[in-house]
Amino acid sequence: MQRRRLGNGVEVSDICLGTMTWGEQNSEAEAHAQIDWALDHGIDFIDTAEMYPVPPGRETQGRTETYIGTWIARNRARRGEFVLASKIAGPGRRDWIRDGATHVNAQTIPWAIADSLRRLQTDYIDLFQIHWPERNVPLFGTWQFDVRKEREATPILEQIEALAEAIKAGSIRAYGLSNETAFGLCEFTRLAERHGLPKPVSVQNGYNLVSRTFDGDLAEASHRLNIPLLAYSPLAMGLLSGKYRHGAQPAGARLARFPNFGERYKRPRALEAAEAYCAVAERHGVTPTALALAFVRSRFFVASTIIGATSLAQLDELAQSFDLELSADCLADIDEVHQRYTSPAGQ
């Protein structure tokens, strides 16, 4: 397992265990088994969120953190063996979180941290992230900024100051961003430096073979500001595993079980690109899953790639590609598919 640094110098495994299925598709016992599996395989980075599991719901919200908390309570001596990340939810139609107080501000940040600490049964969170920006930005599959959706938002400085207070108090070690834009990375950094406050140490955005918007100005901002990417959905919610090829809908699979979820990975060009990547994998003697994971891990701006699974067997399959390095010829074939199907330059 390789190790890479976040912006504050903290080293993490370049594979991170994601948890968003725990409490919806996975039981508490299965969640605990996955934590044990991860630590046994050299993964010392676990990512969760107050909103999880996904899809979010009133009855399940917070259950994922609760499952992690019961593992920590039973394995108190092992808490220092891994970096634990969580997130505060942004604005949205989720009135079950803090009775609808989902703005990210000086009131809700310490509130969310306290609630997460209680569920996680720990004294500190290593990395606390803003799940999505409070201000108007393109989100979750959209890419165009729509000025008509402008709304009142908490000043970024207020958010930084609240996070800085939590760092000073020791309830969190560092903070990061998620689903952010290049402007957000730059503005958080500019204001933090101007006011002598901690800057974000990571950004967690979706990144995979069929969704590479991070390659542009975000990659530059990430590199120049030393805010590396924590890449989520490296398999595009399973699309890049090949299990949905030729219209297949495997029983229990996420995109089949939740038909209104993950619309960005059901678009014709994404489906065509996924089929082409499966052909690339076959040509180079690797599985589609291995190809997709190895590509994300090869990117210079990625500190850690977040994987998720609903079974230990799936995790075992993923582990077979943890050390895979793609050849120059394979990367060239990947680039050709990208230019044909998903690159802005090719459209």
Side-chain angles (χ1 to χ4, degrees):
M1 186 66 60
Q2 298 181 27
R3 304 190 62 73
R4 298 180 183 174
R5 292 182 183 274
L6 303 183
N8 62 343
V10 171
E11 284 194 351
V12 295
S13 53
D14 75 337
I15 296 292
C16 174
L17 181 64
T19 64
M20 74 176 187
T21 61
W22 300 359
E24 177 64 55
Q25 292 175 266
N26 285 109
S27 68
E28 183 177 27
E30 290 169 337
H32 290 184
Q34 287 196 27
I35 296 174
D36 291 336
W37 183 96
L39 295 178
D40 289 344
H41 285 76
I43 297 172
D44 64 2
F45 193 12
I46 298 174
D47 179 74
T48 190
E50 68 171 0
M51 188 187 76
Y52 290 171
V54 173
R58 182 185 299 274
E59 299 302 319
T60 60
Q61 185 264 320
R63 191 178 289 170
T64 305
E65 287 187 326
T66 298
Y67 286 1
I68 296 172
T70 54
W71 185 95
I72 290 175
R74 297 172 187 173
N75 299 272
R76 188 65 61 187
R78 304 194 70 183
R79 172 63 186 91
E81 294 182 20
F82 60 94
V83 173
L84 179 60
S86 193
K87 313 178 193 74
I88 178 174
R93 297 177 182 176
R94 294 173 180 85
D95 59 0
W96 56 83
I97 298 180
R98 287 181 294 282
D99 296 323
T102 55
H103 288 285
V104 182
N105 56 34
Q107 176 191 21
T108 58
I109 288 173
W111 187 353
I113 292 171
D115 284 350
S116 287
L117 289 174
R118 174 179 49 80
R119 286 188 292 264
L120 291 166
Q121 299 194 54
T122 186
D123 297 328
Y124 65 95
I125 297 167
D126 297 281
L127 176 65
F128 192 70
Q129 303 154 100
I130 298 174
H131 207 152
W132 59 89
E134 227 226 29
R135 66 189 191 282
N136 169 36
V137 297
L139 277 176
F140 305 123
T142 61
W143 59 273
Q144 290 178 304
F145 176 75
D146 189 347
V147 70
R148 296 170 298 178
K149 295 181 179 179
E150 282 295 271
R151 60 178 182 263
E152 184 177 351
T154 304
I156 287 176
L157 179 59
E158 179 180 332
Q159 298 175 51
I160 298 172
E161 288 173 335
L163 291 161
E165 282 298 314
I167 292 172
K168 185 177 179 181
S171 56
I172 66 174
R173 300 286 179 87
Y175 76 92
L177 308 173
S178 184
N179 296 296
E180 257 297 358
T181 65
F183 170 82
L185 267 62
C186 293
E187 190 66 358
F188 268 88
T189 300
R190 182 185 73 84
L191 290 170
E193 291 178 344
R194 179 177 178 181
H195 293 274
L197 298 170
K199 64 173 241 183
V201 304
S202 61
V203 57
Q204 183 178 149
N205 282 24
Y207 185 77
N208 54 60
L209 285 169
V210 296
S211 180
R212 292 176 54 178
T213 55
F214 202 93
D215 284 344
D217 52 359
L218 270 163
E220 180 188 9
S222 169
H223 172 68
R224 299 194 188 283
L225 300 173
N226 190 26
I227 304 176
L229 175 65
L230 309 178
Y232 75 77
S233 200
L235 299 181
M237 297 186 183
L239 176 65
L240 292 167
S241 71
K243 64 184 176 183
Y244 298 107
R245 294 183 78 178
H246 313 303
Q249 292 289 305
R254 175 162 285 265
L255 293 182
R257 180 171 176 176
F258 305 109
N260 297 322
F261 191 62
E263 289 300 319
R264 64 189 125 161
Y265 299 127
K266 299 174 183 177
R267 296 168 182 165
R269 292 186 72 84
L271 295 172
E272 292 169 3
E275 181 62 34
Y277 285 125
C278 285
V280 170
E282 290 171 357
R283 206 154 51 239
H284 291 274
V286 298
T287 66
T289 295
L291 182 85
L293 279 181
F295 173 76
V296 174
R297 292 177 58 248
S298 73
R299 308 302 282 167
F300 70 89
F301 45 76
V302 172
S304 195
T305 300
I306 303 171
I307 62 170
T310 53
S311 71
L312 294 182
Q314 289 177 327
L315 288 174
D316 285 335
E317 179 187 353
L318 294 174
Q320 296 175 20
S321 66
F322 285 173
D323 296 322
L324 176 64
E325 293 187 13
L326 302 177
S327 68
D329 287 344
C330 184
L331 290 170
D333 285 349
I334 286 173
D335 190 57
E336 190 276 329
V337 174
H338 175 55
Q339 293 297 324
R340 189 175 0 137
Y341 290 107
T342 55
S343 168
Q347 296 181 11

